[in-house]
Amino acid sequence: MIATDKVTEIFCILDEFCKNLDAELAKNLHIAPIDEGYKRMRNRKGQMSKSEIMTILLCYHFGSFRNFKHYYLFFIKEHLASYFPKAVFYTRFVELMPRVFFDMMAFMRIQGFGKCTGISFVDSTMVPVCHNMRRKFNKVFDGLAKNGKGTMGWCHGFKLHLLCNEMGDVLTFCLTPANVDDRDPRVWRVFTKVLYGKVFADKGYIKQEFFENLFNQGIHLVHGLKSNMKNKLMPLWDKMMLRKQYIIECINELLKNKANLVHSRHRSVHNFLMNLCAALAAYCFFENKPEALPVRIEKSRQLELF
């Protein structure tokens, strides 16, 4: 179970960020004048602040509970009642969740995600929304979720594309239907905004045209070779860093098994997206992030011919 000190720490960070964000928006946001026919929307202060809602959403993804309703009713409303004295009913909280989507995305982009260091790892993982036997009867994601095949077989849902650095920090992500290829230009149009240097990937990203397009943008794609491909010389440092691909795989494992990224209880698309964003934001506060050990290669002339 997550400690109360960790809850306080997360709330303080989110509350400070929300206050700074609201101050910047109030300074730079131009409100349409009423005398020109525009209708001004009501902006009353809610019973729960945005930082409180975001804190509750993030703390759920620390692996203590498998059901959000049980977590909210028996942990937030009882054990943390003194920390959240104005917590609303569960049904009302579910309605308030999509209101913090913009703040959650801004927090991840500005403060939560890491920075590219020139060494990046990329991979994708399937996010099923229901069992394969019920894919024709799912009405919540009708027209959005697709059938796709990954390393673990077929699934009905979406595909999460992740990009991270060697320190285990997520750089950015892209959510697509499950039938979208990993080398799709729309996905890499998002990645190239924050990417430079070398990016290490698995064999699913092998394509000559795709490699050349990235190389022309200053990005060097390093991947393994298939059994039917001609062997090519690769620097020893690249071979060693290619074995560090487990970093991005460990991140996918943490998101699925600890952060409860995948479950089949979604009743709306908005709450599915909030669950995804909250899991990624909660990962930014994880203390056991996978990290690559430093690679050191000694310069030696032992194999040099006389």
Side-chain angles (χ1 to χ4, degrees), residues 290-303:
E291 184 178 355
L293 297 176
V295 177
R296 298 177 182 177
I297 301 177
E298 297 182 359
K299 294 183 179 180
S300 175
R301 303 178 63 181
Q302 182 178 0
L303 300 180

Side-chain angles (χ1 to χ4, degrees), residues 221-235:
L221 178 65
V222 182
H223 53 72
L225 299 177
K226 294 183 179 180
S227 58
N228 58 350
M229 296 177 62
K230 294 183 179 179
N231 194 9
K232 295 183 179 180
L233 294 178
M234 182 184 299

Side-chain angles (χ1 to χ4, degrees), residues 84-260:
F84 303 96
K86 297 183 179 180
V88 296
F89 292 103
Y90 171 74
T91 54
R92 179 56 181 167
F93 184 84
V94 174
E95 296 175 356
L96 295 177
M97 286 168 52
R99 295 190 179 185
V100 297
F101 176 77
F102 173 77
D103 300 82
M104 191 81 72
M105 292 294 295
F107 171 77
M108 289 191 296
R109 175 62 63 184
I110 298 175
Q111 191 170 344
F113 287 166
K115 304 296 182 182
C116 184
T117 60
I119 303 173
S120 306
F121 300 89
V122 64
D123 197 8
S124 63
T125 182
M126 292 292 183
V127 184
V129 295
C130 66
H131 195 272
N132 288 334
M133 299 295 293
R134 299 192 299 268
R135 63 182 183 273
K136 296 183 179 179
F137 307 99
N138 187 280
K139 297 182 180 180
V140 178
F141 300 95
D142 187 20
L144 298 176
K146 302 294 182 181
N147 297 327
K149 187 176 182 181
T151 55
M152 302 301 294
W154 288 90
C155 103
H156 180 75
F158 301 91
K159 182 184 289 188
L160 179 64
H161 306 263
L162 281 179
L163 187 70
C164 74
N165 55 19
E166 77 279 8
M167 295 177 290
D169 297 327
V170 176
L171 303 180
T172 186
F173 73 98
C174 183
L175 184 68
T176 62
N179 58 354
V180 175
D181 187 55
D182 294 340
R183 300 158 295 185
D184 194 280
R186 295 170 295 180
V187 176
W188 286 88
R189 198 176 298 119
V190 178
F191 286 171
T192 51
K193 294 180 180 180
V194 298
L195 188 61
Y196 68 90
K198 292 188 176 183
V199 55
F200 299 88
D202 54 17
K203 300 177 183 179
Y205 292 83
I206 297 177
K207 190 177 181 181
Q208 182 67 23
E209 182 181 358
F210 175 67
F211 174 85
E212 294 176 356
N213 291 335
L214 290 180
F215 194 80
N216 293 333
Q217 302 179 45
I219 302 172
H220 183 197
L221 178 65
V222 182
H223 53 72
L225 299 177
K226 294 183 179 180
S227 58
N228 58 350
M229 296 177 62
K230 294 183 179 179
N231 194 9
K232 295 183 179 180
L233 294 178
M234 182 184 299
L236 179 60
W237 188 85
D238 287 350
K239 287 186 177 181
M240 298 183 67
M241 291 304 299
L242 194 60
R243 296 180 180 179
K244 308 295 183 180
Q245 185 70 15
Y246 67 88
I247 297 177
I248 190 71
E249 297 175 357
C250 290
I251 294 177
N252 292 332
E253 190 73 13
L254 286 174
L255 290 175
K256 285 188 173 183
N257 294 337
K258 182 177 180 180
N260 300 334

Side-chain angles (χ1 to χ4, degrees), residues 281-297:
Y283 173 79
C284 302
F285 293 95
F286 283 3
E287 298 178 356
N288 57 340
K289 294 181 181 179
E291 184 178 355
L293 297 176
V295 177
R296 298 177 182 177
I297 301 177

